[in-house]
Amino acid sequence: IEDMEVEHVAPEGPDVAPVEEETLFTNLDIFLFSLIVGLLIYWFLSRKRTEETIPEFKRLTPVVTPQRETSFIEKMKKTNRNMVVFYGSQTGTAEEFSGRLSKDAQRYGMRGMSADPEEYDMSELPRLAEIDNSLAVFCMATYGEGDPTDNAQDFYDWMQENDEDLKGVNFAVFGLGNKTYEHFNAMGKYTDKRLEELGGKRIYDLGMGDDDGNLEEDFVSWKEQFWPAVCEHFGVEATGDDTSIRQYELVVPTDINMNKVYTGEMGRLKSFETQKPPFDAKNPYLATVAVNRQLNQSGDRHLMHLELDISGSKIRYDSGDHVAVYPVNDVSIVNRIGQILDADLDTVISLNNLDEESNKKHPFPCPTTYRTALTHYLDITNPPRTNVLFELSQYATDPKDQDTLRKMASASPEGKGLYQSWVLDAQRNILALLPRLQVRPTIRIVKILCPSCEKQHICAVVVEFQTSTGRTFKGVATNWLKNKVVVTDNGHKATVPMYVRKSQFRLPFKASNPVVMIGPGTGIAPFMGFLQERGWMKEQGKDVGETILYFGCRRRNEDFLYQQELEEFEKAGVLTQLNVAFSRDQEGKVYVQHLLKKNKEHLWKLIHTDNAHLYICGDARNMARDVQNTFYDIAEEVGGLTHTQAVAYIKKLMTKGRYSLDVWS
């Protein structure tokens, strides 16, 4: 208040008489002081009344959700287990092998459990030594180009980044790989080597399964030698009990709410009716089919192009990522199995794990019906594994058939040969086995035995061929996609459950880097996305380097995939150079590697001088290997390197991310 800051002084001048001394406070000061005190008292009383009127709320006790056990050590101690089998699995095979080993354990004086390393704290591995006569087994698949599977990524990182002491930890490793790939069984080899480096004790040699050969035979042969090694190391004896060890109990509920029954969902019940992002392997997006057209003009094959509409899904992806879809089994095969076993396929069932401590309560979403399980969750098309044959043998009515099934399930040379010729080579599935052999298991037994932009584009060739027995074999996914018409007879749009799987196949960060793409046949699929992205960059005015494609097919007028689109890319200047090898349009066959050799000087300049990135997509067994050998030749002939230097040069490109592979066999 300004008035309080004014200084009170006596008027100047000689004619003014002296005045008496001023009082300490003037009337104005007293007034203002009283006003301030009054305001303070009012504020204090009104605040007190406000506090008194604030309602009192009851404190809620927070609901604590039970945490999943992340300590496999504590779980093993609690359940009296001394063997844990970890699996790194992308498609389910390693997980299945893990389950078989953990079940077999009790035949050999051990108590086992199967475990997903993603669900447990793997830094506790050194503590395994706390459990007497303990053993850790690792069934590790190799994914992509020598990478760990998704669920084993954290464990792989832990092994790389830590130097824990594994003294006293016993281990064994079985790897799952494919010899047609550059980094055969890389994850199995690394796990075996690293665990030993950290002080672990290997009790049996590394097993290496080859999916390009006979993965099942490799696994059976390995475990036939593995178990005797376990018995010898721990001083235990096999029980000799050859009977089946059940993992799941089949229950037929008498009172069931059909709204609680799974109808093909991967995770959340009713997720196909009420879609909620984010979408992934456990929660796929139900994308509508916008386009489904045949790519080839003629020939005995059906090559197709599909476009899935993902608008509104919030799914994010980069060029080169993979589209994963969930197909369903052929309805006619499902119905035929039901007829053979005289079963009501619409009966609601639940398969419950007999191991109450297991994190995996069911092998697939339950409760569900026999029909749904056979249609959505079980593999009924591929040849059954040997453990399935062993289980079936118990239901053979003819002793001769029982012996045949048991022989094929054994590790004997005769049994392996019979399994290879009679089951694998002939592509016999469950449906082909049941009528041929006098085997009549109940439907319950079969369920237990069967193993377990705004548009995304799919390019695929339909798998269909005659087996050596004259039966027609049809690929599940491709035939299912082939029949996905854009609009069904009832006017509804066809849908496909899908999600995006991230890939290491990436365009260079700098658009000015040249790219050389090599993708014969359906291997062209990711490169259509690459071309679209390079075209968009060009439209944005970016400096885009040379973009070269090497494509191969049988005949120009038969299966020149995306011919019109590629020629338009070339005309627009997006595709700098289009090289097509037509293998059967002339007397001598011409493949992409021949065209690479023809342009070797230009390619070497791009690679060695211009920092080009190379991409190979397609067949791993022959094409990818032949192309790599061609690049060795180019490095030798044009670059003047020795063969050893050429191999090292290409390896270095791979390490730097300039030589990328996305191949299959």
Side-chain angles (χ1 to χ4, degrees), residues 82-341:
N82 62 348
M83 174 176 162
V84 57
V85 189
F86 294 106
Y87 58 85
S89 186
Q90 198 72 29
T91 61
T93 306
E95 180 180 359
E96 184 201 335
F97 286 178
S98 170
R100 286 161 66 176
L101 285 171
S102 63
K103 282 200 300 179
D104 286 347
Q106 70 182 71
R107 291 195 181 105
Y108 299 93
M110 306 287 283
R111 292 203 65 202
M113 62 176 263
S114 178
D116 183 344
E118 192 174 38
E119 296 182 353
Y120 292 99
D121 181 2
M122 296 304 291
S123 66
E124 286 197 332
L125 192 56
R127 291 186 58 201
L128 190 63
E130 298 174 9
I131 300 174
D132 292 336
N133 292 332
S134 58
L135 170 64
V137 183
F138 297 84
C139 291
M140 309 303 287
T142 299
Y143 178 62
E145 293 306 307
D147 302 316
T149 57
D150 292 345
N151 76 311
Q153 183 65 57
D154 290 343
F155 174 52
Y156 176 72
D157 293 341
W158 177 82
M159 286 192 291
Q160 284 194 313
E161 296 165 4
N162 289 276
D163 290 313
E164 299 279 357
D165 184 5
L166 296 186
K167 184 179 179 181
V169 174
N170 301 303
F171 75 90
V173 179
F174 181 80
L176 295 82
N178 189 308
K179 277 186 178 172
T180 60
Y181 287 79
E182 174 76 16
H183 306 282
F184 173 59
N185 255 314
M187 189 57 185
K189 291 175 183 176
Y190 178 78
T191 303
D192 183 70
K193 177 186 175 185
R194 185 60 177 150
L195 293 179
E196 184 181 46
E197 289 175 348
L198 294 174
K201 181 176 178 58
R202 182 189 299 105
I203 69 159
Y204 188 60
D205 297 337
L206 166 68
M208 291 196 287
D210 178 17
D211 197 33
D212 188 49
N214 188 334
L215 185 60
E216 175 70 15
E217 180 182 318
D218 295 336
F219 175 66
V220 170
S221 298
W222 178 82
K223 74 185 184 78
E224 287 292 319
Q225 301 300 316
F226 162 75
W227 285 119
V230 170
C231 292
E232 182 179 350
H233 181 83
F234 293 109
V236 295
E237 293 183 3
T239 62
D241 184 6
D242 226 14
T243 58
S244 171
I245 300 171
R246 294 276 178 257
Q247 184 175 359
Y248 296 102
E249 175 189 28
L250 188 142
V251 176
V252 180
T254 53
D255 184 20
I256 187 70
N257 179 354
M258 294 306 292
N259 288 323
K260 302 292 185 182
V261 176
Y262 284 88
T263 58
E265 303 93 332
M266 295 301 115
R268 180 173 57 86
L269 187 67
K270 304 296 180 186
S271 61
F272 289 157
E273 294 179 16
T274 308
Q275 295 257 274
K276 296 177 182 177
F279 298 105
D280 53 28
K282 294 292 179 67
N283 183 35
Y285 178 66
L286 215 53
T288 56
V289 179
V291 175
N292 186 350
R293 63 185 174 93
Q294 185 170 349
L295 289 172
N296 53 315
Q297 293 79 25
S298 59
D300 57 357
R301 299 183 301 165
H302 183 98
L303 294 105
M304 57 187 172
H305 169 86
L306 281 88
E307 294 181 18
L308 306 180
D309 190 342
I310 59 169
S311 55
S313 68
K314 298 182 180 178
I315 292 176
R316 298 178 66 88
Y317 65 92
D318 295 301
S319 298
D321 283 342
H322 300 154
V323 177
V325 300
Y326 285 105
V328 300
N329 286 315
D330 190 327
V331 174
S332 64
I333 298 179
V334 172
N335 290 336
R336 181 68 181 133
I337 289 176
Q339 291 168 3
I340 290 174
L341 298 173

Side-chain angles (χ1 to χ4, degrees), residues 546 548 550 577 599-607:
E546 285 192 58
I548 299 170
Y550 285 84
Q577 192 181 110
N599 298 325
K600 58 185 179 181
E601 286 83 6
H602 183 220
L603 284 168
W604 180 251
K605 176 183 177 296
L606 290 173
I607 298 167

Side-chain angles (χ1 to χ4, degrees), residues 459-511:
C459 175
V461 58
V462 175
V463 177
E464 183 173 340
F465 59 87
Q466 292 292 118
T467 69
S468 59
T469 59
R471 292 176 298 102
T472 299
F473 180 91
K474 292 185 176 182
V476 176
T478 54
N479 279 277
W480 173 73
L481 287 171
K482 176 187 175 183
N483 296 317
K484 283 287 178 181
V485 293
V486 176
V487 180
T488 60
D489 293 338
N490 58 13
H492 294 145
K493 291 184 177 180
T495 56
V496 171
M498 55 77 66
Y499 66 97
V500 171
R501 178 181 285 167
K502 290 298 177 183
S503 165
Q504 299 301 315
F505 223 49
R506 288 283 181 272
L507 281 169
F509 180 74
K510 290 177 65 177

Side-chain angles (χ1 to χ4, degrees), residues 95 247-251 261-267 282 347-353 359-380 443-452:
E95 180 180 359
Q247 184 175 359
Y248 296 102
E249 175 189 28
L250 188 142
V251 176
V261 176
Y262 284 88
T263 58
E265 303 93 332
M266 295 301 115
K282 294 292 179 67
T347 301
V348 177
I349 61 163
S350 183
L351 280 179
N352 303 330
N353 199 324
N359 286 345
K360 189 169 186 176
K361 302 302 180 186
H362 314 282
F364 46 75
C366 289
T368 189
T369 64
Y370 285 133
R371 187 183 306 281
T372 299
L374 284 168
T375 303
H376 293 272
Y377 302 134
L378 297 173
D379 184 357
I380 59 174
I443 185 70
R444 296 186 182 192
I445 297 301
V446 170
K447 290 304 160 292
I448 296 172
L449 301 185
C450 286
S452 31

Side-chain angles (χ1 to χ4, degrees), residues 50-63:
T50 304
E51 288 177 348
E52 289 172 352
T53 58
I54 292 176
E56 196 173 316
F57 293 98
K58 240 183 208 179
R59 177 171 294 191
L60 296 176
T61 305
V63 178

Side-chain angles (χ1 to χ4, degrees), residues 415-478:
K416 289 178 181 178
L418 188 60
Y419 176 72
Q420 179 69 44
S421 62
W422 203 79
V423 178
L424 296 182
D425 293 345
Q427 286 287 322
R428 282 191 167 93
N429 56 23
I430 284 288
L431 182 59
L433 283 174
L434 294 178
R436 182 67 183 268
L437 298 170
Q438 297 301 308
V439 181
R440 288 295 179 270
T442 65
I443 185 70
R444 296 186 182 192
I445 297 301
V446 170
K447 290 304 160 292
I448 296 172
L449 301 185
C450 286
S452 31
C453 123
E454 292 298 321
K455 291 188 178 71
Q456 294 276 300
H457 296 188
I458 297 174
C459 175
V461 58
V462 175
V463 177
E464 183 173 340
F465 59 87
Q466 292 292 118
T467 69
S468 59
T469 59
R471 292 176 298 102
T472 299
F473 180 91
K474 292 185 176 182
V476 176
T478 54

